[in-house]
Amino acid sequence: MANMIIKKQLRSISLPSRSHPSTSGLEDALNKIKTITTGSSESILMGLAGLEELYNCMEDFLKMGSTQQVMSSGGSEFMEEMLDGSLRLMDICSVSRDLMVDTHEHVRGVQSCVRRKKVAGGGGDKLDVAVSSYVGFRKNMRKEAKKLLGSLKKINGGSRSCDNDHEDEHLVAVIDAMRGVISVSVVVLKSFLEFLSRPKSNIKSKLASVLKKKKDNHEATKNELETLDSAICGEISSLDDLQKELEEVEMSISGFERNLEGLFRRLIRTRASVLNIISH
């Protein structure tokens, strides 16, 4: 159900009401992201990678002389809106990246204890400590992700159509296209944060649900973190199974960490370009 809602949100993002040749690159990049159904780790990674590409297009777009001319001659309120939105997105991206770094450290800690226990047959106490630390961290991660979701709601302007009081159709197209970029950024990051903050349900029922999904080969909404939650709390007794789940989570987390870092750097460049336009 969440998958369908997010897909609908992506499809509902309006492209510029008045297209202009200068905005065609951004429109194409927006269309690519709108074809992604976010929900599973793989699709969220695709969405984050799509945002990196989108902001690369945005950077090229902001370097165009025609764009700088039309934005410096009007739309000052919109420029402030863009600066505010980019700052909030940067903060959310930075905290999210740090969460992935911390998750990576906790997962590696559990992995190390599992390997030692498999090889030496001991180290149960250290594994219990590592598991307890991970469980506590996951609880805090959910809380932090929910706070970031609240911050996303404060980002305004992404889905609004440009006011019609501007006579310059080029300016209208530019503003609408850039608002579309902010809007799709919010949707993709929302999907990622919901992936992190999904509430922990009853472990036994969750494990049954996970096993059923695997049996049905229903991977569209697979959440490796939830699966690991079940495994790490003892519902999957085999150390081999636990190690497999840890490896899957590590792969996903590494991808999130890498893409969030890339997106953060591109957001910095976009903000610098907007500030440069304002200053000139």
Side-chain angles (χ1 to χ4, degrees):
M1 179 63 71
N3 226 17
M4 294 175 63
I5 293 173
I6 293 167
K7 187 173 183 180
K8 183 177 180 181
Q9 287 177 324
L10 281 169
R11 286 180 172 175
S12 69
I13 294 172
S14 300
L15 290 175
S17 56
R18 308 180 198 182
S19 188
H20 188 276
S22 68
T23 66
S24 60
L26 283 180
E27 292 176 42
D28 290 342
L30 279 167
N31 275 323
K32 286 182 181 179
I33 298 181
K34 288 174 66 178
T35 63
I36 300 172
T37 303
T38 51
S40 67
S41 59
E42 282 189 19
S43 57
I44 293 172
L45 281 169
M46 289 176 61
L48 290 171
L51 285 184
E52 288 188 64
E53 181 182 348
L54 179 61
Y55 278 94
N56 281 335
C57 292
M58 172 82 94
E59 182 65 17
D60 293 338
F61 174 69
L62 290 173
K63 288 179 180 178
M64 294 171 59
S66 58
T67 301
Q68 294 182 8
Q69 182 178 2
V70 73
M71 291 182 69
S72 60
S73 63
S76 58
E77 182 180 345
F78 162 71
M79 297 290 274
E80 292 299 324
E81 175 188 304
M82 281 295 297
L83 288 173
D84 179 71
S86 67
L87 184 60
R88 291 182 185 275
L89 287 173
M90 283 170 55
D91 288 342
I92 291 168
C93 214
S94 177
V95 176
S96 296
R97 177 199 55 197
D98 292 344
L99 280 176
M100 295 302 93
V101 172
D102 292 342
T103 304
H104 215 155
E105 291 180 358
H106 279 83
V107 168
R108 284 174 174 170
V110 178
Q111 281 180 315
S112 178
C113 292
V114 169
R115 284 194 292 267
R116 284 200 295 268
K117 188 171 183 180
K118 286 179 64 178
V119 172
D125 291 341
K126 290 184 178 180
L127 178 58
D128 289 342
V129 171
V131 166
S132 178
S133 177
Y134 176 81
V135 171
F137 171 74
R138 275 285 282 148
K139 182 178 180 180
N140 291 331
M141 178 204 284
R142 291 189 186 94
K143 291 181 180 179
E144 190 63 39
K146 288 178 181 178
K147 289 181 182 178
L148 294 176
L149 282 168
S151 296
L152 271 181
K153 294 179 181 179
K154 297 177 182 179
I155 299 178
N156 299 317
S159 60
R160 292 185 316 190
S161 177
C162 180
D163 299 332
N164 293 322
D165 56 357
H166 293 290
E167 295 181 0
D168 190 332
E169 292 190 5
H170 186 186
L171 177 59
V172 172
V174 166
I175 291 177
D176 281 351
M178 293 179 69
R179 279 178 173 161
V181 172
I182 296 294
S183 183
V184 78
S185 301
V186 169
V187 173
V188 173
L189 287 172
K190 179 173 182 287
S191 177
F192 165 70
L193 293 170
E194 287 176 343
F195 181 90
L196 299 186
S197 64
R198 194 172 297 174
K200 179 180 175 183
S201 60
N202 179 271
I203 291 295
K204 291 184 178 180
S205 64
K206 176 56 63 179
L207 177 60
S209 175
V210 168
L211 293 176
K212 183 177 185 300
K213 287 178 182 178
K214 288 184 176 180
K215 182 179 179 181
D216 296 339
N217 196 31
H218 185 201
E219 298 294 319
T221 57
K222 181 179 179 182
N223 187 318
E224 291 85 354
L225 287 172
E226 286 187 296
T227 308
L228 179 59
D229 287 343
S230 299
I232 213 167
C233 290
E235 291 299 321
I236 299 178
S237 56
S238 167
L239 286 178
D240 288 334
D241 287 343
L242 177 56
Q243 187 173 30
K244 180 182 177 181
E245 299 299 343
L246 286 164
E247 289 172 353
E248 288 192 8
V249 167
E250 185 177 23
M251 287 182 61
S252 295
I253 295 305
S254 295
F256 289 145
E257 186 180 338
R258 182 173 58 254
N259 281 281
L260 287 166
E261 175 64 25
L263 178 58
F264 179 71
R265 292 179 182 277
R266 284 158 181 78
L267 285 167
I268 291 176
R269 289 206 301 264
T270 295
R271 182 174 176 80
S273 294
V274 173
L275 287 169
N276 183 61
I277 294 173
I278 291 177
S279 64
H280 288 81

